[in-house]
C-alpha cells in the first residue's frame, strides 16, 4: 500500500513538472526521441553478439552460440590489443586534452583585449568544425613518402626520406597531436564559460589583499574549475572505449602495418562488418564496449561520490 501510494505521488509530481515546464520539455523532445529510436529500440539487436548471424534466418532465427564469439576474440588476442589501444588513447585524450583546455581557457580569461580574445576563440574553435576527411588528406600530404611536405624538406636539406606509413610507433604521437588540435577549442569554451561564471567580487577582494595573478589562478580559478573538470571527466569515461573512429580511419585507413599501435575497437568493428561481413563478431565487440564503459562510469562515479559527493553524477 505504501509503495503504491509513493508511486502515485511520484507520477503526480512528474505530471505537474511536465505541465509546468512544457516548453522546455518540448525543446528537449527531439533529443529524447533520438535516444529512444537509436539507443533504446535497437537494444534487442545486441542479441546478434550471441548468435551465428545469418541474414536469411534473421537475428532470432540464427544459431545460438552463447559466448563463443567473445571466446574467439579472447583467444586470437584481438580483444586485448584493441582494448589496450582504445583505453590508452582515450586516457591520453582525456588527461592531456583537459589540461590543455584549462590552460587555454585561463589564458583567454586573463586577456583584457576584447577583440583579440574573440579572434583567439574563433581561431581555436575552428579545427573542431573541420572534417576528419580533410584532416586525413592533410596528413597524407604531410607524411607521404614520395611527395609529402616533410620528406620534401628532408631531401632538400640533404637527408634521407622517412617512411612514416611503415612506422607504427610514431603514429601514436601524430594521432594524439591531431586529436588535441581538433578538440582543444571546444573544450576550452566550456571551461571559459565556467570561469566567466565565477563571481568577479572574489577576484577583486583577492587583488585588494595583495594576491598576485598566479596566486589568484592557483587558489581561486583552479579549485572552482574542479567540479567542471570532474563532470567532463565522468562524461569522457562513459565513452572511454568509444574511440574517434573518423580520426583513426582517415589517418590510418586500411594500412595493416600500423594496426598493432593504432587499431581501436571502432575500426575493428568497422572492418568486421564491411570487410569480413562478420556481423556477430562486430556486435560482440560493440556489446563488450558498452558494458565495459557502463561499469567504468559506475565505478568512477562511486569513487567520486565517496571523495566529493557534490561532483558526482548521481
Amino acid at each position: 500500500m505504501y509503495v503504491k501510494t509513493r508511486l502515485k505521488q511520484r507520477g503526480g509530481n512528474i505530471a505537474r513538472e511536465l505541465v509546468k515546464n512544457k516548453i522546455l520539455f518540448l525543446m528537449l523532445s527531439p533529443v529524447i526521441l533520438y535516444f529512444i529510436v537509436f539507443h533504446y529500440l535497437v537494444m534487442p539487436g545486441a542479441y546478434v553478439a550471441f548468435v551465428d548471424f545469418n541474414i536469411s534466418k534473421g537475428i532470432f532465427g540464427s544459431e545460438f552460440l552463447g559466448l563463443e564469439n567473445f571466446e574467439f576474440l579472447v583467444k586470437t588476442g584481438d580483444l586485448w590489443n584493441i582494448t589496450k589501444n582504445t583505453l590508452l588513447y582515450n586516457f591520453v585524450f582525456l588527461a592531456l586534452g583537459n589540461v590543455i583546455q584549462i590552460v587555454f581557457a585561463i589564458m583567454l580569461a586573463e586577456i583584457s583585449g576584447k577583440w583579440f580574445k574573440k579572434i583567439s576563440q574563433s581561431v581555436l574553435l575552428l579545427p573542431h568544425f573541420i572534417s576528419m576527411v580533410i584532416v586525413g588528406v592533410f596528413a597524407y600530404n604531410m607524411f607521404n613518402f614520395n611527395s609529402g611536405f616533410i620528406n620534401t624538406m628532408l631531401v632538400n636539406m640533404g637527408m634521407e626520406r622517412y617512411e612514416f606509413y611503415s612506422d607504427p610507433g610514431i603514429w601514436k604521437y601524430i594521432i594524439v597531436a591531431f586529436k588535441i588540435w581538433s578538440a582543444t577549442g571546444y573544450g576550452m569554451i566550456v571551461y571559459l564559460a565556467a570561469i566567466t561564471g565565477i563571481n568577479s567580487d572574489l577576484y577583486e577582494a583577492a587583488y585588494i589583499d595583495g594576491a598576485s595573478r598566479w596566486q589568484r589562478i592557483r587558489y581561486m580559478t583552479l579549485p572552482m574549475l574542479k567540479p567542471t573538470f570532474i563532470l567532463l571527466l565522468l562524461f569522457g569515461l562513459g565513452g572511454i572505449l568509444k574511440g574517434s573512429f573518423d580520426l583513426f580511419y582517415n589517418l590510418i585507413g586500411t594500412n595493416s602495418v600500423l594496426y598493432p599501435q593504432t587499431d581501436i575497437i571502432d575500426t575493428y568493428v568497422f572492418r568486421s562488418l564491411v570487410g569480413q561481413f562478420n556481423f556477430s563478431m562486430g556486435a560482440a565487440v560493440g556489446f563488450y564496449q558498452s558494458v565495459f564503459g557502463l561499469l567504468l562510469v559506475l565505478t568512477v562515479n562511486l569513487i567520486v561520490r565517496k571523495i566529493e559527493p557534490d561532483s558526482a553524477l548521481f
Side-chain angles (χ1 to χ4, degrees):
M1 186 68 182
Y2 173 77
V3 174
K4 188 181 292 185
T5 304
R6 291 289 295 174
L7 288 173
K8 188 175 181 180
Q9 289 176 350
R10 183 169 296 180
N13 292 335
I14 294 173
R16 282 194 296 270
E17 191 71 21
L18 287 171
V19 173
K20 181 181 177 182
N21 300 301
K22 57 184 177 182
I23 301 300
L24 294 177
F25 282 107
L26 185 64
M27 293 171 64
L28 278 173
S29 58
V31 178
I32 296 171
L33 185 64
Y34 165 79
F35 277 98
I36 291 174
V37 174
F38 294 103
H39 290 267
Y40 289 98
L41 293 182
V42 297
M43 287 182 73
Y47 183 70
V48 177
F50 304 94
V51 301
D52 182 13
F53 180 67
N54 189 309
I55 296 178
S56 61
K57 296 180 180 178
I59 297 176
F60 299 102
S62 300
E63 180 187 357
F64 182 75
L65 299 178
L67 299 176
E68 287 186 25
N69 289 322
F70 300 92
E71 183 181 352
F72 176 78
L73 286 169
V74 173
K75 286 182 178 179
T76 57
D78 291 339
L79 190 63
W80 162 246
N81 185 57
I82 59 178
T83 301
K84 179 193 68 174
N85 288 342
T86 307
L87 284 174
L88 290 177
Y89 275 114
N90 280 319
F91 274 130
V92 173
F93 293 161
L94 272 177
L96 186 60
N98 276 282
V99 169
I100 293 176
Q101 290 161 15
I102 290 172
V103 170
F104 274 94
I106 292 174
M107 288 171 61
L108 278 180
E110 294 295 321
I111 294 174
S112 57
K114 183 179 179 181
W115 286 105
F116 182 79
K117 182 183 292 188
K118 287 186 175 181
I119 293 171
S120 300
Q121 287 181 27
S122 301
V123 171
L124 289 169
L125 188 59
L126 181 62
H128 177 72
F129 299 101
I130 296 177
S131 169
M132 285 301 157
V133 176
I134 297 175
V135 172
V137 173
F138 174 77
Y140 182 78
N141 284 282
M142 283 284 293
F143 305 117
N144 189 341
F145 181 79
N146 294 316
S147 58
F149 174 77
I150 294 179
N151 278 320
T152 302
M153 293 294 295
L154 291 175
V155 171
N156 291 336
M157 290 186 294
M159 302 171 66
E160 293 185 1
R161 299 177 187 271
Y162 186 79
E163 184 57 87
F164 287 95
Y165 285 95
S166 295
D167 183 6
I170 198 170
W171 282 93
K172 295 182 291 186
Y173 308 103
I174 294 173
I175 289 172
V176 170
F178 274 111
K179 178 64 177 181
I180 298 300
W181 168 77
S182 173
T184 295
Y186 184 82
M188 176 204 67
I189 295 297
V190 177
Y191 285 111
L192 190 60
I195 294 173
T196 306
I198 299 174
N199 192 340
S200 59
D201 294 341
L202 298 175
Y203 287 105
E204 291 177 7
Y207 177 77
I208 293 172
D209 289 339
S212 65
R213 177 171 292 183
W214 167 245
Q215 287 174 326
R216 294 197 298 271
I217 292 172
R218 181 180 178 184
Y219 296 109
M220 296 181 64
T221 305
L222 289 178
M224 291 182 180
L225 286 179
K226 187 166 65 172
T228 304
F229 173 78
I230 294 174
L231 185 64
L232 292 178
L233 183 66
L234 287 172
F235 283 145
L237 288 173
I240 197 73
L241 283 184
K242 295 184 182 295
S244 303
F245 169 77
D246 51 351
L247 172 66
F248 281 83
Y249 185 74
N250 284 290
L251 288 179
I252 306 303
T254 55
N255 188 348
S256 59
V257 176
L258 305 180
Y259 286 167
Q261 299 286 338
T262 62
D263 200 18
I264 59 172
I265 291 176
D266 295 75
T267 53
Y268 184 91
V269 171
F270 178 79
R271 289 200 313 275
S272 297
L273 295 176
V274 176
Q276 305 170 17
F277 296 100
N278 195 334
F279 294 94
S280 297
M281 201 66 65
V285 178
F287 184 81
Y288 159 76
Q289 186 181 37
S290 300
V291 172
F292 189 96
L294 173 64
L295 294 176
L296 187 61
V297 169
L298 292 176
T299 303
V300 174
N301 185 75
L302 180 63
I303 296 171
V304 171
R305 193 169 61 190
K306 294 289 185 182
I307 299 174
E308 194 166 347
D310 293 338
S311 299
L313 283 175
F314 48 85

Coordinates of all heavy atoms in Angstrom, one line a residue, residues 148-208:
G148 N 55.4 14.0 -49.8 CA 55.0 14.7 -48.6 C 55.8 15.9 -48.3 O 57.0 15.9 -48.6
F149 N 55.2 16.8 -47.6 CA 55.9 18.1 -47.3 C 57.2 17.8 -46.4 O 58.3 18.4 -46.7 CB 55.0 19.0 -46.5 CG 55.6 20.3 -46.0 CD1 55.9 21.3 -46.9 CD2 56.0 20.4 -44.7 CE1 56.5 22.5 -46.4 CE2 56.6 21.5 -44.2 CZ 56.9 22.6 -45.1
I150 N 57.1 17.0 -45.4 CA 58.2 16.7 -44.5 C 59.3 16.0 -45.3 O 60.5 16.4 -45.1 CB 57.8 15.9 -43.3 CG1 56.8 16.7 -42.4 CG2 59.0 15.5 -42.5 CD1 56.3 16.0 -41.2
N151 N 59.0 15.0 -46.0 CA 60.1 14.3 -46.8 C 60.7 15.2 -47.8 O 61.9 15.1 -48.1 CB 59.5 13.0 -47.4 CG 59.4 11.9 -46.4 OD1 60.4 11.7 -45.6 ND2 58.4 11.1 -46.4
T152 N 59.9 16.1 -48.5 CA 60.5 17.0 -49.4 C 61.5 17.9 -48.8 O 62.6 18.2 -49.3 CB 59.3 17.8 -50.1 OG1 58.4 16.9 -50.7 CG2 59.9 18.8 -51.1
M153 N 61.1 18.4 -47.6 CA 62.1 19.2 -46.8 C 63.3 18.5 -46.4 O 64.4 19.0 -46.5 CB 61.3 19.8 -45.5 CG 60.2 20.7 -45.8 SD 60.8 22.3 -46.6 CE 61.7 23.0 -45.3
L154 N 63.1 17.2 -46.0 CA 64.3 16.4 -45.6 C 65.3 16.2 -46.8 O 66.5 16.3 -46.7 CB 63.9 15.1 -45.1 CG 63.1 15.0 -43.8 CD1 62.6 13.6 -43.4 CD2 64.1 15.5 -42.6
V155 N 64.7 16.0 -48.0 CA 65.5 15.8 -49.2 C 66.2 17.1 -49.6 O 67.4 17.1 -49.9 CB 64.7 15.3 -50.4 CG1 65.5 15.3 -51.7 CG2 64.1 13.9 -50.1
N156 N 65.5 18.2 -49.4 CA 66.2 19.5 -49.7 C 67.3 19.8 -48.8 O 68.2 20.6 -49.2 CB 65.1 20.6 -49.7 CG 64.1 20.5 -50.9 OD1 64.4 19.9 -51.9 ND2 62.9 21.0 -50.7
M157 N 67.2 19.3 -47.6 CA 68.3 19.5 -46.6 C 69.4 18.4 -46.7 O 70.3 18.4 -45.8 CB 67.7 19.5 -45.2 CG 66.9 20.8 -44.9 SD 66.3 20.9 -43.2 CE 65.2 19.5 -43.1
G158 N 69.3 17.6 -47.7 CA 70.3 16.5 -47.9 C 70.2 15.3 -47.0 O 71.1 14.6 -46.8
M159 N 69.0 15.1 -46.5 CA 68.8 14.0 -45.6 C 67.9 12.9 -46.3 O 67.3 13.2 -47.4 CB 68.1 14.5 -44.3 CG 68.8 15.5 -43.5 SD 67.9 16.3 -42.2 CE 67.7 14.9 -41.1
E160 N 67.8 11.7 -45.7 CA 67.0 10.7 -46.3 C 65.6 10.8 -46.0 O 65.2 11.3 -44.9 CB 67.6 9.3 -45.8 CG 69.0 9.0 -46.3 CD 69.4 7.6 -45.9 OE1 68.5 6.9 -45.3 OE2 70.5 7.2 -46.2
R161 N 64.7 10.3 -46.9 CA 63.3 10.3 -46.6 C 63.0 9.4 -45.5 O 63.6 8.4 -45.2 CB 62.5 9.9 -47.9 CG 62.7 10.8 -49.1 CD 62.0 10.2 -50.3 NE 62.3 10.9 -51.5 CZ 61.6 12.0 -51.9 NH1 60.5 12.4 -51.2 NH2 61.9 12.6 -53.0
Y162 N 61.9 9.7 -44.8 CA 61.4 8.9 -43.7 C 60.1 8.2 -44.0 O 59.2 8.9 -44.4 CB 61.3 9.7 -42.4 CG 61.0 8.9 -41.2 CD1 62.0 8.2 -40.5 CD2 59.7 8.8 -40.7 CE1 61.7 7.4 -39.4 CE2 59.4 8.1 -39.5 CZ 60.4 7.4 -38.9 OH 60.1 6.6 -37.8
E163 N 60.0 6.9 -43.8 CA 58.8 6.2 -44.2 C 57.8 6.2 -43.0 O 57.8 5.3 -42.1 CB 59.1 4.8 -44.6 CG 57.9 3.9 -45.0 CD 57.2 4.6 -46.2 OE1 57.5 4.3 -47.4 OE2 56.2 5.3 -45.9
F164 N 57.0 7.2 -42.9 CA 56.0 7.4 -41.8 C 55.0 6.3 -41.8 O 54.6 5.8 -40.7 CB 55.3 8.7 -41.9 CG 56.2 9.9 -41.5 CD1 56.8 10.6 -42.5 CD2 56.3 10.3 -40.2 CE1 57.6 11.7 -42.2 CE2 57.1 11.4 -39.9 CZ 57.7 12.1 -40.9
Y165 N 54.5 5.9 -42.9 CA 53.5 4.9 -43.0 C 53.9 3.4 -42.8 O 53.2 2.5 -43.0 CB 52.7 5.0 -44.3 CG 51.8 6.3 -44.4 CD1 52.3 7.5 -44.9 CD2 50.5 6.2 -43.8 CE1 51.5 8.6 -44.9 CE2 49.7 7.3 -43.8 CZ 50.2 8.5 -44.4 OH 49.4 9.6 -44.4
S166 N 55.2 3.3 -42.5 CA 55.7 1.9 -42.1 C 56.2 1.9 -40.7 O 56.8 0.9 -40.3 CB 56.9 1.6 -43.1 OG 56.4 1.4 -44.4
D167 N 56.0 3.0 -39.9 CA 56.5 3.0 -38.5 C 55.3 3.2 -37.6 O 54.8 4.3 -37.4 CB 57.4 4.2 -38.4 CG 58.0 4.3 -37.0 OD1 57.7 3.4 -36.2 OD2 58.7 5.3 -36.7
P168 N 54.8 2.1 -37.0 CA 53.6 2.2 -36.1 C 53.8 3.1 -34.9 O 52.9 3.8 -34.5 CB 53.3 0.8 -35.7 CG 54.1 -0.1 -36.7 CD 55.2 0.7 -37.1
G169 N 55.1 3.1 -34.4 CA 55.3 3.9 -33.2 C 55.1 5.4 -33.3 O 54.6 6.0 -32.3
I170 N 55.4 6.0 -34.4 CA 55.3 7.4 -34.5 C 53.9 7.9 -34.6 O 53.6 9.0 -34.3 CB 56.2 7.9 -35.7 CG1 56.4 9.4 -35.5 CG2 55.5 7.6 -37.0 CD1 57.4 10.0 -36.5
W171 N 53.0 7.0 -35.0 CA 51.6 7.4 -35.2 C 50.9 7.6 -33.9 O 49.8 8.3 -33.9 CB 50.9 6.4 -36.1 CG 51.3 6.6 -37.5 CD1 52.3 6.0 -38.3 CD2 50.7 7.6 -38.4 NE1 52.3 6.6 -39.5 CE2 51.4 7.5 -39.7 CE3 49.6 8.5 -38.3 CZ2 51.0 8.3 -40.7 CZ3 49.3 9.3 -39.4 CH2 50.0 9.2 -40.6
K172 N 51.4 7.1 -32.8 CA 50.8 7.4 -31.5 C 50.8 8.9 -31.2 O 49.8 9.4 -30.8 CB 51.5 6.6 -30.4 CG 51.5 5.1 -30.5 CD 52.2 4.5 -29.3 CE 53.7 4.6 -29.5 NZ 54.4 3.9 -28.4
Y173 N 51.9 9.5 -31.6 CA 52.1 10.9 -31.3 C 51.3 11.8 -32.3 O 50.8 12.8 -32.0 CB 53.6 11.3 -31.3 CG 54.4 10.4 -30.3 CD1 55.1 9.3 -30.8 CD2 54.3 10.5 -28.9 CE1 55.8 8.5 -30.0 CE2 55.0 9.7 -28.1 CZ 55.8 8.7 -28.6 OH 56.5 7.9 -27.8
I174 N 51.3 11.3 -33.6 CA 50.6 12.0 -34.6 C 49.1 12.1 -34.3 O 48.5 13.1 -34.4 CB 50.9 11.4 -36.0 CG1 52.4 11.6 -36.4 CG2 50.0 12.0 -37.1 CD1 52.8 10.8 -37.6
I175 N 48.6 10.9 -34.0 CA 47.1 10.8 -33.7 C 46.7 11.7 -32.5 O 45.8 12.4 -32.5 CB 46.7 9.4 -33.4 CG1 46.8 8.6 -34.8 CG2 45.3 9.3 -32.8 CD1 46.6 7.1 -34.6
V176 N 47.5 11.6 -31.4 CA 47.3 12.4 -30.2 C 47.3 13.9 -30.6 O 46.5 14.7 -30.2 CB 48.3 12.1 -29.1 CG1 48.1 13.1 -28.0 CG2 48.0 10.7 -28.6
A177 N 48.3 14.3 -31.4 CA 48.5 15.7 -31.8 C 47.3 16.2 -32.6 O 46.8 17.3 -32.3 CB 49.8 15.9 -32.6
F178 N 46.8 15.4 -33.5 CA 45.7 15.8 -34.3 C 44.4 15.9 -33.4 O 43.6 16.8 -33.6 CB 45.4 14.9 -35.5 CG 46.3 15.3 -36.7 CD1 47.3 14.5 -37.1 CD2 46.0 16.4 -37.4 CE1 48.1 14.8 -38.2 CE2 46.7 16.8 -38.5 CZ 47.8 16.0 -39.0
K179 N 44.2 15.0 -32.5 CA 43.1 15.0 -31.6 C 43.1 16.2 -30.7 O 42.0 16.8 -30.6 CB 43.1 13.7 -30.8 CG 41.9 13.6 -29.8 CD 40.6 13.5 -30.5 CE 39.4 13.3 -29.5 NZ 38.1 13.3 -30.2
I180 N 44.2 16.5 -30.1 CA 44.3 17.7 -29.3 C 44.0 18.9 -30.1 O 43.3 19.8 -29.6 CB 45.7 17.7 -28.6 CG1 45.9 16.5 -27.7 CG2 45.8 19.0 -27.7 CD1 44.9 16.3 -26.6
W181 N 44.6 19.0 -31.2 CA 44.4 20.2 -32.1 C 42.9 20.4 -32.5 O 42.4 21.5 -32.5 CB 45.2 20.0 -33.4 CG 44.9 20.9 -34.5 CD1 45.3 22.2 -34.6 CD2 44.1 20.7 -35.7 NE1 44.8 22.8 -35.8 CE2 44.1 21.9 -36.4 CE3 43.5 19.5 -36.2 CZ2 43.4 22.0 -37.7 CZ3 42.8 19.6 -37.4 CH2 42.8 20.8 -38.1
S182 N 42.2 19.3 -32.7 CA 40.8 19.3 -33.1 C 39.9 19.6 -31.9 O 38.9 20.3 -32.0 CB 40.4 18.0 -33.7 OG 39.0 17.9 -33.9
A183 N 40.2 19.1 -30.7 CA 39.3 19.2 -29.6 C 39.5 20.3 -28.6 O 38.7 20.6 -27.8 CB 39.3 17.9 -28.8
T184 N 40.7 21.0 -28.7 CA 41.0 22.0 -27.7 C 40.1 23.1 -27.7 O 39.6 23.6 -26.6 CB 42.5 22.5 -27.9 OG1 43.4 21.4 -27.7 CG2 42.8 23.6 -27.0
G185 N 39.7 23.6 -28.8 CA 38.8 24.8 -28.9 C 37.5 24.6 -28.3 O 37.0 25.5 -27.5
Y186 N 36.8 23.5 -28.5 CA 35.5 23.2 -28.0 C 35.6 23.1 -26.5 O 34.8 23.7 -25.8 CB 34.9 22.0 -28.7 CG 33.5 21.7 -28.2 CD1 32.4 22.4 -28.8 CD2 33.2 20.8 -27.2 CE1 31.1 22.1 -28.4 CE2 31.9 20.5 -26.8 CZ 30.9 21.2 -27.4 OH 29.6 20.9 -27.0
G187 N 36.5 22.3 -26.0 CA 36.6 22.1 -24.6 C 37.0 23.4 -23.8 O 36.6 23.6 -22.7
M188 N 37.8 24.2 -24.5 CA 38.2 25.4 -23.9 C 37.0 26.4 -23.6 O 37.0 27.1 -22.6 CB 39.2 26.1 -24.8 CG 39.7 27.5 -24.4 SD 40.3 28.5 -25.7 CE 38.7 28.7 -26.7
I189 N 36.1 26.3 -24.6 CA 34.9 27.2 -24.4 C 34.1 26.8 -23.2 O 33.5 27.6 -22.5 CB 34.0 27.0 -25.7 CG1 34.7 27.6 -26.9 CG2 32.7 27.8 -25.5 CD1 35.0 29.1 -26.9
V190 N 34.0 25.5 -22.9 CA 33.3 25.0 -21.7 C 34.0 25.5 -20.5 O 33.3 26.0 -19.5 CB 33.3 23.5 -21.7 CG1 32.6 23.0 -20.4 CG2 32.5 22.9 -22.9
Y191 N 35.3 25.4 -20.4 CA 36.0 25.9 -19.2 C 35.9 27.4 -19.1 O 35.9 28.0 -18.0 CB 37.4 25.4 -19.2 CG 37.6 24.0 -18.8 CD1 38.0 23.0 -19.8 CD2 37.3 23.5 -17.5 CE1 38.1 21.7 -19.5 CE2 37.5 22.2 -17.2 CZ 37.8 21.3 -18.2 OH 38.0 19.9 -17.8
L192 N 36.0 28.1 -20.2 CA 35.9 29.5 -20.2 C 34.6 30.0 -19.7 O 34.5 31.0 -19.0 CB 36.2 30.1 -21.7 CG 36.4 31.6 -21.8 CD1 37.6 32.1 -21.0 CD2 36.5 31.9 -23.3
A193 N 33.5 29.3 -20.1 CA 32.2 29.6 -19.6 C 32.1 29.4 -18.1 O 31.5 30.2 -17.3 CB 31.1 28.7 -20.3
A194 N 32.8 28.4 -17.6 CA 32.8 28.2 -16.1 C 33.6 29.3 -15.4 O 33.2 29.7 -14.3 CB 33.5 26.8 -15.8
I195 N 34.7 29.7 -16.0 CA 35.5 30.8 -15.4 C 34.7 32.1 -15.4 O 34.7 32.9 -14.4 CB 36.8 31.0 -16.2 CG1 37.7 29.8 -16.0 CG2 37.5 32.3 -15.7 CD1 38.9 29.8 -16.9
T196 N 33.9 32.4 -16.5 CA 33.1 33.6 -16.6 C 32.0 33.6 -15.5 O 31.6 34.7 -15.0 CB 32.4 33.7 -18.0 OG1 33.5 33.6 -19.0 CG2 31.7 35.0 -18.2
G197 N 31.6 32.4 -15.1 CA 30.5 32.3 -14.1 C 31.0 32.6 -12.7 O 30.2 32.6 -11.7
I198 N 32.3 32.6 -12.5 CA 32.9 32.9 -11.1 C 32.6 34.3 -10.8 O 32.9 35.3 -11.6 CB 34.4 32.6 -11.1 CG1 34.6 31.1 -11.4 CG2 34.9 32.9 -9.7 CD1 36.1 30.7 -11.6
N199 N 32.2 34.6 -9.5 CA 31.9 35.9 -9.1 C 33.2 36.8 -9.1 O 34.2 36.5 -8.5 CB 31.4 35.9 -7.6 CG 30.8 37.2 -7.2 OD1 31.1 38.2 -7.7 ND2 30.0 37.1 -6.1
S200 N 33.1 37.9 -9.9 CA 34.2 38.8 -10.0 C 34.6 39.5 -8.7 O 35.8 39.9 -8.6 CB 33.9 39.9 -11.1 OG 32.8 40.6 -10.7
D201 N 33.7 39.6 -7.8 CA 34.0 40.2 -6.5 C 35.1 39.5 -5.7 O 35.9 40.1 -5.0 CB 32.7 40.3 -5.6 CG 31.7 41.3 -6.2 OD1 32.1 42.1 -7.0 OD2 30.5 41.1 -5.8
L202 N 35.1 38.1 -5.9 CA 36.1 37.3 -5.3 C 37.5 37.7 -5.8 O 38.5 37.8 -5.0 CB 35.8 35.8 -5.5 CG 34.5 35.3 -5.0 CD1 34.3 33.9 -5.4 CD2 34.5 35.4 -3.5
Y203 N 37.6 37.9 -7.1 CA 38.9 38.3 -7.6 C 39.3 39.7 -7.2 O 40.5 39.9 -6.9 CB 38.9 38.2 -9.2 CG 38.8 36.8 -9.7 CD1 37.7 36.3 -10.2 CD2 40.0 36.1 -9.8 CE1 37.6 35.0 -10.8 CE2 40.0 34.8 -10.3 CZ 38.8 34.3 -10.8 OH 38.8 33.0 -11.3
E204 N 38.4 40.6 -7.1 CA 38.7 41.9 -6.7 C 39.1 41.9 -5.2 O 40.1 42.7 -4.8 CB 37.4 42.8 -6.8 CG 37.1 43.1 -8.3 CD 35.8 43.9 -8.4 OE1 35.3 44.4 -7.4 OE2 35.3 44.1 -9.6
A205 N 38.5 41.1 -4.4 CA 38.9 41.1 -3.0 C 40.3 40.5 -2.8 O 41.1 41.0 -2.0 CB 37.9 40.2 -2.2
A206 N 40.6 39.4 -3.6 CA 41.9 38.8 -3.6 C 43.0 39.8 -4.1 O 44.1 39.9 -3.6 CB 41.9 37.6 -4.5
Y207 N 42.6 40.6 -5.1 CA 43.6 41.6 -5.6 C 43.9 42.7 -4.6 O 45.0 43.1 -4.4 CB 43.0 42.3 -6.9 CG 43.8 43.4 -7.5 CD1 45.0 43.1 -8.2 CD2 43.5 44.7 -7.3 CE1 45.8 44.1 -8.8 CE2 44.3 45.7 -7.8 CZ 45.4 45.4 -8.6 OH 46.2 46.4 -9.1
I208 N 42.8 43.1 -3.9 CA 43.0 44.1 -2.8 C 43.9 43.6 -1.7 O 44.7 44.3 -1.1 CB 41.6 44.6 -2.3 CG1 40.9 45.3 -3.4 CG2 41.8 45.5 -1.0 CD1 39.4 45.7 -3.0

